[in-house]
Amino acid sequence: MSDTPTTVPIERVPQHVAMIMDGNGRWAIQRGLPRLAGHKAGTENLRRVIRSTVEFGVKYLTIYAFSTENWGRPPEEVKGLMLILQDVIDRELSELNKEGVQLRHIGRLEGLDPRIQKKVLKAIELTKNNDRLILNVAFNYGGRDEIVCAIQKIIKDGIPAEDITDALVSKYMFTANVPDPDLIIRTSGELRVSNFLIWQAAYSEWYITPTFWPDFDKEEYRHALESFAHRDRRYGKVASSELQETNA
Ligand code: IPE
Ligand code: IPE
Ligand code: MG
């Protein structure tokens, strides 16, 4: 089995892909099923996506699983999502560990049920030496909350104002020591950020598809990577092709 999709040269494969796994509810409603059935189907798909991520040679994957705003959903749905997280850890942890996946959590762990906190910490501890794929799970995560949390820590650490730099702020984020996402994929067609990685996404490329998350398959993932491979990331500068023309 090849480690990369044949059409994307390894040097054009993004190092870090982040995903807003959206559209589970609508996927279920379209089939006359309860929303939680959509979340379960979404979880099944996540397993396939993680496997493809390893195959494609992507080193970091960040997935948005539960936002700080998702607490505002009906209590049964919130409860169901909490149970799904625990179930996923119970069922998938040993396989993920065998595949060399290192699990990390981003978001406020202390805001979760103590049983969930324990399971998450156990998963992090078990997989901490794996390095095939770093999987950041954004659960009880909000981009604004992350920035507030960072400011609080910076102040508590007594950092003088003149020492506060771009790099220092990055170190105080939940994603400290993780490169910024190169590519962010959002399923279900919504054209918004929804409080995801608002600091880290300053120069991320976006791929938005109308496909609902449970149907986002390997072919479409490959397509997203191909689209990324053709982007010219200018970072506010001038296109490299134009520079060559000017120098000619
Ligand atoms: C994304 O699917 C999963 C979570 C937010 C937990 P949604 O539940 O938002 O699905 P839609 O957007 O309602 O279809
Ligand atoms: C973003 O999706 C959060 C997750 C995928 C976990 P939402 O469905 O919560 O976002 P909005 O409400 O459409 O912006
Ligand atoms: Mg949604």
Side-chain angles (χ1 to χ4, degrees), residues 22-23 26 73:
D22 198 13
R26 279 164 285 171
R73 294 190 176 200

PDB file of all heavy atoms in Angstrom, residues 22-23 26 73, ligand 3:
ATOM      1  N   ASP A  22     -19.115  18.610  10.210  1.00  0.00           N
ATOM      2  CA  ASP A  22     -20.467  19.172  10.344  1.00  0.00           C
ATOM      3  C   ASP A  22     -21.458  18.446   9.433  1.00  0.00           C
ATOM      4  O   ASP A  22     -21.079  17.916   8.383  1.00  0.00           O
ATOM      5  CB  ASP A  22     -20.408  20.682  10.011  1.00  0.00           C
ATOM      6  CG  ASP A  22     -21.626  21.423  10.531  1.00  0.00           C
ATOM      7  OD1 ASP A  22     -22.385  20.865  11.346  1.00  0.00           O
ATOM      8  OD2 ASP A  22     -21.811  22.581  10.099  1.00  0.00           O
ATOM      9  N   GLY A  23     -22.722  18.456   9.846  1.00  0.00           N
ATOM     10  CA  GLY A  23     -23.802  17.931   9.007  1.00  0.00           C
ATOM     11  C   GLY A  23     -24.362  16.585   9.445  1.00  0.00           C
ATOM     12  O   GLY A  23     -25.176  15.989   8.736  1.00  0.00           O
ATOM     13  N   ARG A  26     -28.299  16.854   9.861  1.00  0.00           N
ATOM     14  CA  ARG A  26     -29.037  16.891   8.588  1.00  0.00           C
ATOM     15  C   ARG A  26     -28.940  15.554   7.855  1.00  0.00           C
ATOM     16  O   ARG A  26     -29.890  15.131   7.203  1.00  0.00           O
ATOM     17  CB  ARG A  26     -28.508  18.036   7.707  1.00  0.00           C
ATOM     18  CG  ARG A  26     -29.104  19.376   8.095  1.00  0.00           C
ATOM     19  CD  ARG A  26     -28.323  20.522   7.532  1.00  0.00           C
ATOM     20  NE  ARG A  26     -27.072  20.712   8.278  1.00  0.00           N
ATOM     21  CZ  ARG A  26     -26.107  21.526   7.908  1.00  0.00           C
ATOM     22  NH1 ARG A  26     -26.203  22.199   6.773  1.00  0.00           N
ATOM     23  NH2 ARG A  26     -25.032  21.667   8.647  1.00  0.00           N
ATOM     24  N   ARG A  73     -27.367  22.903  22.923  1.00  0.00           N
ATOM     25  CA  ARG A  73     -28.283  21.983  22.221  1.00  0.00           C
ATOM     26  C   ARG A  73     -29.221  21.301  23.227  1.00  0.00           C
ATOM     27  O   ARG A  73     -28.957  21.324  24.431  1.00  0.00           O
ATOM     28  CB  ARG A  73     -27.463  20.950  21.455  1.00  0.00           C
ATOM     29  CG  ARG A  73     -26.685  21.592  20.337  1.00  0.00           C
ATOM     30  CD  ARG A  73     -26.063  20.587  19.419  1.00  0.00           C
ATOM     31  NE  ARG A  73     -25.404  21.281  18.325  1.00  0.00           N
ATOM     32  CZ  ARG A  73     -25.086  20.728  17.175  1.00  0.00           C
ATOM     33  NH1 ARG A  73     -25.352  19.464  16.968  1.00  0.00           N
ATOM     34  NH2 ARG A  73     -24.494  21.435  16.235  1.00  0.00           N
TER      35      ARG A  73
HETATM   36 MG    MG B   3     -23.888  21.767  12.465  1.00  0.00          MG
END
